[in-house]
């Protein structure tokens, strides 16, 4: 089951994920044709993308913490959370990549051409980075989680369902500034409504096929934490869990993906079996596994 991103946003999100995009459509018989080309002027490394994702997740955490404070503590620390969220928005906006976009649309003797630079404002997030847990109710009604009380008071057994989550930082900035103004006037209701709007504008996708990848990625995060704390038995088990999850994913995919997944699963299992002899640098190796699993989505 998938909650799809609107078409225009899908194109923009696609820009972020790929090096370049060229879309051409039309034949000699078509009454209208188009060509759409996107070329990045700056490239982001995997670590930069991870940092951007963490910043967006932290921004949302401060939004939720501000709402919790407004609800239960009369807004005593809400302004501080909003200030931190705005600071993160500025950091994100400063790091956003830029793209050269070329568009040509033709119909008969009529032609539209446009070239301009655009920025990527929709930022993908990795849920594990700040322990995002999604409730069963939110799986069926993601909008309810985003703007409803489940965001403040999650209940029931937590399940990881969303495989891709995106934040539009332009929306976030707009509503954070509204929240800031409302808090200065001590208008807690309006402040909470503006914060809720940020949560409502989170774009979420989920797909049952990708659940093994989520399980693998989360197990690798647990393994990295355990290795960092020198809890090597726990790290070994988490690595084995990650390898098993990847084996489950491999069985569902085509040959090319299957081979890459099998190789990665075998490397993870090998580290699990030899971790006692390879403790030094283990956290970095496990983190590299996490990044490779993320690239399988």
């Amino acid at each position: 089951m998938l909650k799809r991103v609107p078409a225009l946003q899908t194109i923009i999100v696609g820009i972020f994920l790929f090096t370049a995009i060229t879309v051409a459509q039309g034949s000699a018989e078509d009454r209208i044709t188009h060509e759409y080309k996107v070329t990045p002027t700056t490239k982001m490394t995997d670590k930069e993308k991870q940092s951007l994702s963490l910043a967006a997740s932290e921004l949302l955490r401060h939004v939720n913490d501000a709402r919790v404070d407004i609800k239960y503590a009369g807004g005593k620390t809400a302004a501080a959370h909003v200030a931190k969220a705005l600071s993160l928005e500025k950091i994100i906006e400063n790091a956003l990549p830029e793209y050269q976009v070329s568009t040509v649309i033709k119909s008969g003797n009529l032609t539209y051409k446009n070239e301009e630079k655009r920025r990527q404002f929709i930022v993908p997030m990795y849920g594990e980075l700040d322990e995002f847990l999604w409730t069963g109710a939110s799986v069926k009604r993601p909008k309810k989680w985003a703007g409803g009380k489940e965001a403040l008071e999650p209940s029931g057994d937590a399940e990881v369902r969303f495989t891709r989550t995106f934040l539009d930082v332009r929306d976030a900035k707009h509503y954070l500034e509204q929240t800031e103004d409302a808090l200065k006037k001590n208008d807690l209701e309006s402040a909470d409504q503006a914060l809720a709007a940020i949560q409502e504008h989170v774009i979420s996708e989920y797909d049952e096929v990708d659940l093994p990848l989520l399980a693998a990625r989360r197990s690798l995060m647990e393994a990295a934490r355990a290795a960092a704390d020198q809890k090597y038995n726990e790290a070994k088990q988490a690595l084995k869990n990650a390898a098993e999850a990847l084996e489950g994913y491999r069985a569902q995919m085509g040959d090319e993906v299957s081979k890459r997944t099998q190789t990665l699963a075998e490397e993870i299992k090998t580290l699990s079996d030899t971790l006692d002899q390879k403790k030094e640098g283990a956290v970095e190796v496990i983190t590299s596994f996490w990044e490779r699993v993320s690239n399988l989505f």
Side-chain angles (χ1 to χ4, degrees):
M1 188 175 183
L2 179 67
K3 177 179 180 286
R4 297 193 178 277
V5 181
L8 177 58
Q9 291 173 333
T10 301
I11 292 173
I12 299 174
V13 170
I15 293 171
F16 187 94
L17 298 176
F18 299 99
T19 304
I21 293 177
T22 301
V23 179
Q25 182 173 322
S27 64
E29 295 79 20
D30 290 332
R31 296 181 61 189
I32 184 169
T33 61
H34 72 268
E35 183 176 324
Y36 185 78
K37 184 177 181 181
V38 179
T39 307
T41 58
T42 55
K43 294 182 180 180
M44 299 192 76
T45 65
D46 288 341
K47 287 189 177 181
E48 286 176 326
K49 292 178 184 179
Q50 185 175 329
S51 296
L52 202 63
S53 296
L54 177 58
S57 295
E58 279 291 289
L59 188 156
L60 279 181
R61 183 178 66 81
H62 283 297
V63 167
N64 198 67
D65 286 349
R67 293 197 69 199
V68 170
D69 179 70
I70 289 172
K71 182 175 182 180
Y72 296 109
K76 291 180 181 178
T77 62
H81 284 298
V82 171
K84 289 179 180 179
L86 278 168
S87 176
L88 284 164
E89 188 281 327
K90 290 178 182 176
I91 290 171
I92 293 169
E93 192 168 343
N94 186 65
L96 290 175
E98 199 170 56
Y99 301 87
Q100 185 69 34
V101 181
S102 173
T103 308
V104 179
I105 302 173
K106 295 181 179 180
S107 179
N109 295 324
L110 303 174
T111 301
Y112 164 87
K113 291 184 179 180
N114 187 54
E115 289 198 14
E116 60 182 332
K117 287 186 177 180
R118 298 181 190 172
R119 301 186 74 190
Q120 162 63 37
F121 286 99
I122 296 180
V123 179
M125 295 178 289
Y126 296 126
E128 298 96 320
L129 293 173
D130 68 340
E131 299 299 323
F132 255 85
L133 296 179
W134 313 91
T135 65
S138 73
V139 173
K140 298 175 184 176
R141 301 190 303 273
K143 283 286 187 178
K144 181 67 174 176
W145 176 85
K149 292 184 179 180
E150 284 87 346
L152 299 173
E153 301 174 285
S155 60
D157 294 331
E159 298 181 37
V160 179
R161 293 292 187 187
F162 289 89
T163 62
R164 290 166 291 273
T165 308
F166 305 92
L167 176 70
D168 189 325
V169 293
R170 292 168 300 184
D171 285 345
K173 180 180 181 181
H174 172 73
Y175 289 113
L176 282 169
E177 289 175 345
Q178 282 191 2
T179 304
E180 193 175 45
D181 290 340
L183 288 173
K184 287 177 181 178
K185 300 172 184 175
N186 201 32
D187 185 351
L188 297 184
E189 183 177 353
S190 295
D192 185 63
Q193 288 175 354
L195 291 169
I198 296 173
Q199 294 176 324
E200 288 171 359
H201 283 76
V202 171
I203 305 164
S204 299
E205 295 182 343
Y206 60 94
D207 192 338
E208 296 291 337
V209 174
D210 289 340
L211 291 181
L213 291 183
L214 282 171
R217 207 166 63 175
R218 189 165 189 81
S219 292
L220 289 170
M221 290 293 285
E222 292 172 359
R225 292 191 187 102
D229 293 336
Q230 298 183 357
K231 297 178 180 178
Y232 296 110
N233 286 334
E234 292 182 17
K236 289 179 190 177
Q237 186 58 54
L239 286 168
K240 287 179 181 177
N241 293 342
E244 288 174 3
L246 285 175
E247 285 293 341
Y249 179 73
R250 183 181 68 84
Q252 304 176 47
M253 306 309 293
D255 290 342
E256 183 180 347
V257 173
S258 179
K259 290 177 183 177
R260 284 192 294 138
T261 306
Q262 183 175 9
T263 300
L264 180 54
E266 289 173 353
E267 289 180 36
I268 293 171
K269 189 176 184 303
T270 298
L271 180 61
S272 175
D273 294 337
T274 60
L275 187 58
D276 289 332
Q277 293 79 43
K278 297 182 178 180
K279 295 177 181 178
E280 187 174 350
V283 175
E284 289 75 12
V285 175
I286 295 169
T287 301
S288 73
F289 289 154
W290 183 93
E291 291 174 350
R292 286 167 65 184
V293 171
S294 298
N295 289 333
L296 291 174
F297 281 92

